[in-house]
Amino acid sequence: MAFEKEPMGAADVQHLESPSLKSHHAPPQFQQGNEAVLLRIDAGAEAPTSVKLAKDGHTVLLPQPSDDVNDPLNWSWRKKHMILFIVALSAFCGDFGSGAGIPCTLPQAIEWDMDPVHVNYAGNLNVIMLGVGGLLWIPPTYFWGRAPVLFWTQVMGTFFTLGCCLTQSFETFYALRALMGVTLTACQVIGLSFIKDMFFFHEHARKIGLWAALFLLSPYLGPLLGNFIIAGTGNWRLCFWLVFAVCGFDLLLIILFADESWYRRDIPYEKQPERGSRLLRLVGTWQIRVHHGYFMELWPSVYRLVALLLKPVVLPTLLWYGLSFMWAIGINIMSSILLGTPKESGGYGFTARGVGYIYFTPVVAVILGEIFGHFFNDYLANRYTKKHHGIFKPEARLPTCMLAICLMIPGLIIVGQTLARSLHYSAIIIGWGMYVFGVMLGSVAITAYALDCYPNGAGEVSAWLNFARTVSGFSVGYFEVAWGTASGYDVSFGIQAAIVAAAAVIMVLLYIFGERLRSRGGPLTFKGTS
């Protein structure tokens, strides 16, 4: 096997002394135990020799980059962020395709002479497959590689979307929507692995925010554009042609720029396998050639999902996320019915175009949530490390979740009271906006927290969080309207707000006891990964 021995290009790295560090991991003196790390060295403090720091001269680079230019941590800023954009756009395609189908329900029901509620089952199935599919794609990222999973799932998802554009029967459409969900969900879970591979510890929250913002926009941007298309043309297939175009553009970017980010830090760079052609890494033949001794075997790759789920912190984290996020998916699935109910039946009687305009609310809320969280998460982390002598612990992420809860609860109450009392639709904009703003803040914070708790399980963390949000939200689509009609929307949304409030207890307990739970469960360690 040939080896590469090129020195790293360290434009963004500063050494305290000579770059003689041979270990590819953080020096032991920076590991404080139980996933606590020394993240900052203040001016004048005594620091270990040969430790690589960020440009500010204080922030410790974790993990410590190798001297290999092929180490993803040493890739150029342009390459890292192009791949970050690609995986974010790939994640966008999944929920964008799901959301774009929401305004198609009524015209499809007319074309196929079916009950709109029955037609909507295809959308519900698509949502559940977004969650199930996420679990299926994690093992291949360990025994085959990140890049081929990214490439082939996008190829399949693009062609399944084309099938939805061309089909003439509901039965075929129903099956294709399920296959769309299974394939296009891949980067909603493997995206976190790319971020972990390419960026340092102190960069994670911001990069997670950029990645999450794009795919959290998608379930709202899909219906927004779809409603305008339906209002202007009445042709539901054009909505799926738009999804097909976005998927095709993303596939083109993958072919032109994507690369394999799997890198074994426990192998010295002198013994790393020759990387060869980027296109061979993209389609997966390079990974097959160097598989033995470099990638994981099948069973350990599958067992990782189970091992993470058994950690004491994980189930409470998933429960909080599911109970808090589920109402966003439920509202999104049933929005056209909720807002399009005729005025004489007690609704708002919005046209498809009117519903499209209402969808600017969650889109703007996600953007504002990303802008605020982009700086607020870093502020909390820096504040914590300064107060604790440079030591950072994962629980420092959780106050953002508490802030999110304080926005989600009144947001749901406002929406429910507005629907029940037929108040002006501007109140829906305020309430929905508050809730989605909170969802954006909470999603980034809880993802960063789980990744900090188990940094060696980025893919598994993302897969289970994605499963929690989609499975919980999938169920709401079946009872949201019937519940509100029977009990009143003030009651149904009030109970939803109460559930979010009750889930806040989980967050308080995690903040207080999370460190002890992590200590009891131990770290997530697997041979052959870093």
Side-chain angles (χ1 to χ4, degrees), residues 30 256 304 404 419 453 515 530:
F30 290 104
L256 293 176
R304 293 174 63 100
L419 292 174
C453 289
E515 185 175 2
S530 59

Side-chain angles (χ1 to χ4, degrees), residues 166-239:
L166 301 175
T167 185
Q168 299 297 316
S169 72
F170 174 74
E171 291 74 16
T172 304
F173 178 80
Y174 186 83
L176 288 171
R177 287 289 275 161
L179 293 172
M180 276 182 65
V182 169
T183 52
L184 293 179
T185 190
C187 265
Q188 294 183 352
V189 295
I190 70 172
L192 195 59
S193 296
F194 277 97
I195 292 173
K196 174 67 167 53
D197 293 341
M198 296 187 299
F199 296 100
F200 297 104
F201 182 93
H202 68 282
E203 300 175 304
H204 285 170
R206 284 195 173 192
K207 307 311 175 186
I208 290 171
L210 294 171
W211 164 69
L214 195 54
F215 88 73
L216 288 178
L217 270 176
S218 58
Y220 306 116
L221 202 57
L224 186 154
L225 298 176
N227 274 292
F228 286 133
I229 291 173
I230 296 296
T233 69
N235 187 346
W236 65 265
R237 286 181 174 81
L238 291 179
C239 297

Side-chain angles (χ1 to χ4, degrees), residues 98 129 159 168 190 209 233 241 272 290 328 408 517:
S98 180
M129 297 313 291
F159 280 97
Q168 299 297 316
I190 70 172
T233 69
W241 280 113
Q272 293 284 336
V290 303
M408 288 189 282
L517 290 174

